[in-house]
Each structure stands twice: as structure tokens, then as C-alpha cells.
Amino acid sequence: LLDNPALCYTEQLSSANGGILLPIFIFDNSRVYGSNVKSKLNSSLKCGPRRAHFVLEAVADLRHNLERCGSGLIVKVGKPEIIFEEIAQQMDIKSGVINIVCQEEICSE
């Protein structure tokens, strides 16, 4: 958990203003994890079987580590902008500030 800049920043932000920390991992099937999402470099799949296996293991490990700290991890598949809106509606958030902290992909492909 300590090597994840987004989680570290989110924990600091949550502690500073007394907010709720809700860890979420989204498999963005419109940009990376979809079955038809191809690389711009050579038209191969952006997420082949090996990468998919690696990411699934990493997300399972993240969930396990968060649970050991008394938290959890919501895992969703879809477009992040739609999923964030759905979660806000489910939590009945009508006003106030929602801080969304995301981690940018390291590379473009």
C-alpha cells in the first residue's frame, strides 16, 4: 500500500478533513481492458492474457492488503465517469465535496 502514490495521498486527504475513504478499482473497458481495445502502435490488444492475469493478481493483492487494514476495495468494470456517478447516487450524495483521486497510467500504451 505504501508504494501507491494515489492511495497515500488519499489517506492524507481523508485524515486531514475527516472524510470517508472509499477505495475503488475500475477496469476501464473503454480504454484498456475491453476485448476490442487495440494499441495504436501495432494493433495488438492493449490487455492480453498475461497482462490481464497480472492485473487480476495485483487487484486481489490490493484488496487483501486493504482488508488487513480494516478497509476494503470496490471493483467495477466500465467507464470510470459513469461508475463514479453511480456510486455517488447509491451513496445518496446530493451536496458537499467529493474528492476523487486517480492514478494516471505510467505509459500511453
Side-chain angles (χ1 to χ4, degrees):
L1 296 178
L2 297 176
D3 66 346
N4 187 311
L7 277 177
C8 290
Y9 176 74
T10 303
E11 194 276 328
Q12 292 170 358
L13 185 64
S14 177
S15 296
N17 64 17
I20 297 171
L21 178 60
L22 183 63
I24 303 169
F25 185 93
I26 301 172
F27 288 97
D28 184 348
N29 61 357
S30 66
R31 296 179 188 95
V32 179
Y33 299 104
S35 60
N36 295 321
V37 180
K38 306 277 185 170
S39 169
K40 294 176 187 171
L41 298 176
N42 61 10
S43 297
S44 62
L45 289 175
K46 278 194 173 183
C47 185
R50 288 188 179 114
R51 182 177 183 187
H53 186 264
F54 173 79
V55 173
L56 288 172
E57 284 183 343
V59 171
D61 186 56
L62 176 60
R63 174 179 270 162
H64 174 74
N65 287 326
L66 286 166
E67 287 172 349
R68 284 186 12 209
C69 295
S71 184
L73 181 66
I74 295 173
V75 178
K76 298 280 188 177
V77 176
K79 289 185 171 187
E81 54 272 23
I82 293 172
I83 290 173
F84 287 133
E85 185 176 325
E86 289 172 353
I87 290 171
Q89 288 174 355
Q90 289 171 359
M91 295 179 71
D92 198 28
I93 299 172
K94 293 183 173 68
S95 62
V97 175
I98 300 174
N99 294 309
I100 298 175
V101 179
C102 300
Q103 185 164 316
E104 185 176 18
E105 290 287 331
I106 302 298
C107 61
S108 62
E109 288 293 315

